[in-house]
Amino acid sequence: TGAAVSKDYIQEFNQISVALMNDLDHDQWIDIYTRLVARSLEMDDHPELGLKQTLLDQFRECNLAFGKYVERKYRDWLEQSNNRPALSHEVVDRYVIPELQTGKSVLFFVIDCLRLDQWLVMEGLLRDYFEISKEFYFSLLPTATPYSRNAIFSGSYPNEVELRHPELWEKSEDDESSRNRYERQFLEKLLERRKIVLKPEPKYVKILDAEFGRGIESNINSYAQSKLTSVVVNFVDMLAHGRSDSSLLKEIAPDESAYRSLTKSWFVHSSLFGMLRTLARNKNVTVLLTTDHGSIRCLRGSKVLGDREASTNLRYKYGRNLKCEDKAAIFVKNPAEFKLPKRGVAGNYIIAKEDFFFVYPTDYHKYLNQYRDSFQHGGVSLEEMILPVVKLEPKG
């Protein structure tokens, strides 16, 4: 009942508030985030309780503390391999390679820009078809495709990728598609370094539009004959970016709850759901599904000063002499400390915290209004960084 949900949540609200006073580790942060997300889904079913704002305020309070936590710990994580969460560059080693050793065919789906709450809505539709188990990892920073997804497929930190492929970072723009030209090669090289030989050789597919997706869906059984097929699905990222440019999508998805429901509408009719249902009938298949980063609904603009060449992303910037208000960002003076590409000249990164987004002083109010209340990624938040890795085993 509503009353019971309400009472439970008030109790949990207090537990989380108390927990924030302590020095939490990454597992405790995962626990807090998964509890908040579970509550969000519950509130979708009980809007009459009027607790949405309370929950949003708590998310904001948690993200404030989480930003400070990541700022304190992140550099240590890059230098050590214990007492820290699994990170983007370890996803293949930790989750994919062990499955390859079971003799089953592995289909590895990476859904660009999927948040945990969106996944849970999808998961609800898959329970009839699969046994589902879930673990979590943390995205590398910035939480954006050129960094986090390249790290997944290459098994390397972004600055190591730069050493092997300097041409990836030559232009200052972080254009997502040109920065991800090499995923197939990255993965092949990673398997080679791990001495893993697959016959027939691994397949890689990137689904950018519905029509192409349908073609893959109708052939998914032939892909399942390979030992490893990686499928990158771009729709959710397009949805996030599309919403910031479309008043229509903003009206359909005015808040997180509606954004989840929009994701569900897409998924139900998508080629992805079609592929998964087909694969669910094949006992020789294991499906692994993850994402490269999430997104956060940005509500506060922060003025940023810097050179004209700086990148256009709203949650992180790379350039010379970048400045913004202290509370809004992590300042990366020395990219190497964050294992980030130097990209030629002496430059620095700023990475947004909480729900801030960066706006240049030129036409400040125009851009502030245009991007306020849009889903963005690249920064430090629970929603962008804490990511599910899901194993789906067909019930057959």
Side-chain angles (χ1 to χ4, degrees):
T1 64
V5 168
S6 192
K7 189 168 159 243
D8 275 1
Y9 175 54
I10 300 307
Q11 244 181 327
E12 186 164 78
F13 180 94
N14 294 329
Q15 287 170 358
I16 289 175
S17 297
V18 170
L20 291 181
M21 295 173 191
N22 301 318
D23 188 10
L24 302 169
D25 68 16
H26 58 272
D27 286 324
Q28 289 165 311
W29 273 115
I30 291 170
D31 178 58
I32 284 178
Y33 178 50
T34 50
R35 285 161 72 173
L36 288 172
V37 169
R39 287 294 169 193
S40 309
L41 296 180
E42 206 165 43
M43 298 306 163
D44 290 354
D45 298 332
H46 293 281
E48 76 284 354
L49 297 178
L51 287 167
K52 251 183 192 170
Q53 192 53 50
T54 314
L55 186 58
L56 283 175
D57 292 344
Q58 187 159 44
F59 252 109
R60 185 174 265 193
E61 185 194 0
C62 289
N63 266 324
L64 173 62
F66 182 69
K68 291 174 179 162
Y69 163 75
V70 171
E71 193 159 12
R72 270 199 325 275
K73 300 284 189 187
Y74 187 75
R75 274 166 289 196
D76 297 341
W77 292 348
L78 303 181
E79 296 306 329
Q80 67 200 42
S81 53
N82 47 3
N83 302 331
R84 65 155 173 79
L87 299 170
S88 309
H89 68 298
E90 296 168 314
V91 166
V92 170
D93 278 329
R94 278 204 187 202
Y95 305 107
V96 180
I97 288 177
E99 296 302 330
L100 289 172
Q101 282 149 1
T102 64
K104 290 190 174 178
S105 290
V106 177
L107 282 101
F108 176 44
F109 287 88
V110 180
I111 302 174
D112 192 354
C113 198
L114 186 76
R115 296 169 17 147
L116 175 62
D117 60 341
Q118 292 172 303
W119 162 250
L120 290 175
V121 166
M122 292 159 61
E123 185 180 288
L125 295 162
L126 291 166
R127 284 202 195 103
D128 292 343
Y129 301 94
F130 295 96
E131 298 296 338
I132 300 174
S133 51
K134 187 164 53 260
E135 291 189 41
F136 292 91
Y137 82 94
F138 278 49
S139 171
L140 290 173
L141 297 176
T143 48
T145 308
Y147 305 91
S148 55
R149 203 163 80 208
N150 279 337
I152 291 176
F153 283 106
S154 65
S156 310
Y157 286 117
N159 62 345
E160 298 164 348
V161 172
E162 182 192 34
L163 288 176
R164 283 183 232 138
H165 293 276
E167 71 279 14
L168 261 189
W169 306 99
E170 274 161 9
K171 296 198 297 301
S172 61
E173 268 316 293
D174 273 339
D175 160 32
E176 307 241 323
S177 54
S178 71
R179 293 248 182 273
N180 284 75
R181 293 192 294 263
Y182 295 122
E183 284 168 344
R184 175 196 303 263
Q185 293 93 313
F186 282 159
L187 186 58
E188 285 170 4
K189 292 237 167 67
L190 172 56
L191 294 171
E192 214 171 279
R193 288 201 304 277
R194 298 291 180 265
K195 311 268 190 286
I196 291 171
V197 181
L198 300 175
K199 295 269 184 285
E201 57 186 37
K203 292 193 164 61
Y204 168 89
V205 180
K206 190 177 198 165
I207 299 176
L208 292 163
D209 63 68
E211 198 181 341
F212 185 69
R214 295 271 168 246
I216 302 296
E217 182 189 349
S218 56
N219 286 317
I220 196 69
N221 276 329
S222 67
Y223 282 97
Q225 290 164 9
S226 286
K227 279 288 161 237
L228 174 63
T229 302
S230 308
V231 183
V232 173
V233 181
N234 258 35
F235 181 81
V236 181
D237 188 56
M238 282 151 41
L239 185 63
H241 291 293
R243 185 182 169 282
S244 52
D245 300 328
S246 152
S247 52
L248 181 69
L249 276 179
K250 233 179 202 160
E251 197 162 320
I252 293 172
D255 58 20
E256 262 101 350
S257 174
Y259 191 52
R260 287 190 277 279
S261 134
L262 187 57
T263 309
K264 184 177 185 174
S265 305
W266 158 70
F267 182 62
V268 168
H269 302 286
S270 68
S271 58
L272 174 59
F273 191 30
M275 288 176 220
L276 292 172
R277 280 183 315 212
T278 302
L279 293 168
R281 296 196 288 272
N282 186 338
K283 280 291 205 183
N284 296 319
V285 161
T286 299
V287 175
L288 292 170
L289 190 148
T290 191
T291 175
D292 49 356
H293 55 75
S295 67
I296 186 169
R297 187 175 167 209
C298 292
L299 294 170
R300 290 179 285 175
S302 173
K303 226 174 235 175
V304 59
L305 302 166
D307 64 351
R308 287 178 169 276
E309 295 295 296
S311 56
T312 53
N313 307 74
L314 295 172
R315 288 276 290 166
Y316 74 96
K317 301 232 174 258
Y318 169 82
R320 277 191 295 261
N321 311 318
L322 290 170
K323 291 180 187 62
C324 71
E325 47 186 334
D326 286 349
K327 66 172 185 184
I330 293 178
F331 291 81
V332 181
K333 292 187 186 66
N334 173 10
E337 274 188 16
F338 281 70
K339 302 219 186 279
L340 287 170
K342 282 205 276 301
R343 308 174 61 169
V345 290
N348 65 319
Y349 289 79
I350 50 174
I351 300 173
K353 292 191 286 195
E354 300 175 66
D355 58 359
F356 287 102
F357 63 101
F358 298 132
V359 190
Y360 288 114
T362 326
D363 289 336
Y364 179 72
H365 288 288
K366 177 187 152 189
Y367 289 111
L368 187 69
N369 293 329
Q370 184 178 341
Y371 290 111
R372 193 185 166 279
D373 192 11
S374 62
F375 286 92
Q376 302 291 342
H377 59 84
V380 175
S381 67
L382 294 160
E383 295 94 321
E384 288 162 297
M385 278 187 86
I386 299 183
L387 309 171
V389 183
V390 186
K391 181 171 163 182
L392 303 167
E393 295 183 280
K395 287 184 173 173

